[in-house]
Amino acid sequence: MTEAPVVAAPGPAPAPGQRRSSRWLAVLLVATIAVGAYLWVTTIRWQRNSAEWEEKAHEYAEEVASLRMQLDGANSELEAARDQLSTATARITDLANEKAQLGDENVASQQYLDYQTQVSRAAATVASALGQCVSGQEQLVGYLKDAEQYEAADLRRYERQVNALCAEADDANEALQRELRP
């Protein structure tokens, strides 16, 4: 006897509503994963950017602190230069008065005139040098107040130039003071 082949009958067909809801769930799942991945990538980028900005902020804060210290130093040097100029001017006047009281009128007058000319030249040189120092330091203070507008290397170079100018003025002042000592 031969048996008839057995054909498996398909199971009950799913209801049309179940297929649609399964597709919707699949689409919703894929969309949720895509949005989650996008948010994750965005969060990682934001964290990197935030770290970079924070690092830059710390660098700028350190630079501002350094520039403020330089500004304080420049202000101190400016005040010292002003004091030196005032002292030199007073000393020149005192010495000129002392020298004017020397000896014979004619000899004293000629000596006074010669001395006054020499002192005046030296004093003019010192006053000019100290005036340039003061002007340079005032300009440096102005630059340091708006330091974010300038390159730090340029500010440091200008500060060295002003310091060199002030050192020359100090040397000239000391030479004048030695010359004027009785």
Side-chain angles (χ1 to χ4, degrees):
M1 167 169 229
T2 57
E3 291 187 27
V6 177
V7 177
Q18 285 181 335
R19 279 188 191 166
R20 282 188 197 135
S21 66
S22 294
R23 284 184 189 154
W24 271 109
L25 285 174
V27 168
L28 184 61
L29 179 61
V30 169
T32 302
I33 290 172
V35 168
Y38 171 77
L39 291 175
W40 182 70
V41 168
T42 302
T43 301
I44 295 298
R45 285 181 184 160
W46 181 85
Q47 288 173 340
R48 261 191 234 131
N49 285 342
S50 175
E52 289 172 6
W53 281 107
E54 187 175 347
E55 184 178 330
K56 284 183 182 181
H58 286 294
E59 289 172 9
Y60 287 136
E62 289 173 5
E63 189 174 336
V64 165
S66 172
L67 291 173
R68 283 196 177 138
M69 286 178 22
Q70 291 176 7
L71 176 62
D72 291 342
N75 281 334
S76 296
E77 289 178 24
L78 177 61
E79 190 61 36
R82 284 183 178 151
D83 290 343
Q84 288 176 351
L85 178 60
S86 177
T87 301
T89 303
R91 180 71 178 141
I92 289 167
T93 302
D94 291 345
L95 289 172
N97 289 337
E98 289 173 14
K99 295 292 181 177
Q101 297 172 4
L102 291 176
D104 181 56
E105 276 189 38
N106 290 335
V107 172
S109 294
Q110 186 59 44
Q111 287 177 345
Y112 176 75
L113 182 60
D114 293 343
Y115 182 75
Q116 191 66 25
T117 302
Q118 180 184 359
V119 167
S120 293
R121 284 185 196 137
T125 301
V126 169
S128 175
L130 287 174
Q132 289 174 350
C133 172
V134 168
S135 295
Q137 288 184 342
E138 286 174 345
Q139 191 169 11
L140 178 61
V141 168
Y143 289 156
L144 291 174
K145 284 182 180 176
D146 296 322
E148 65 275 356
Q149 294 180 2
Y150 305 101
E151 293 289 330
D154 290 341
L155 288 174
R156 285 188 290 275
R157 184 176 60 250
Y158 186 73
E159 179 185 16
R160 285 191 299 274
Q161 290 171 348
V162 169
N163 288 342
L165 180 67
C166 290
E168 290 175 12
D170 284 343
D171 292 345
N173 184 39
E174 289 175 15
L176 177 63
Q177 295 299 324
R178 284 191 300 273
E179 179 70 24
L180 296 176
R181 285 192 187 113

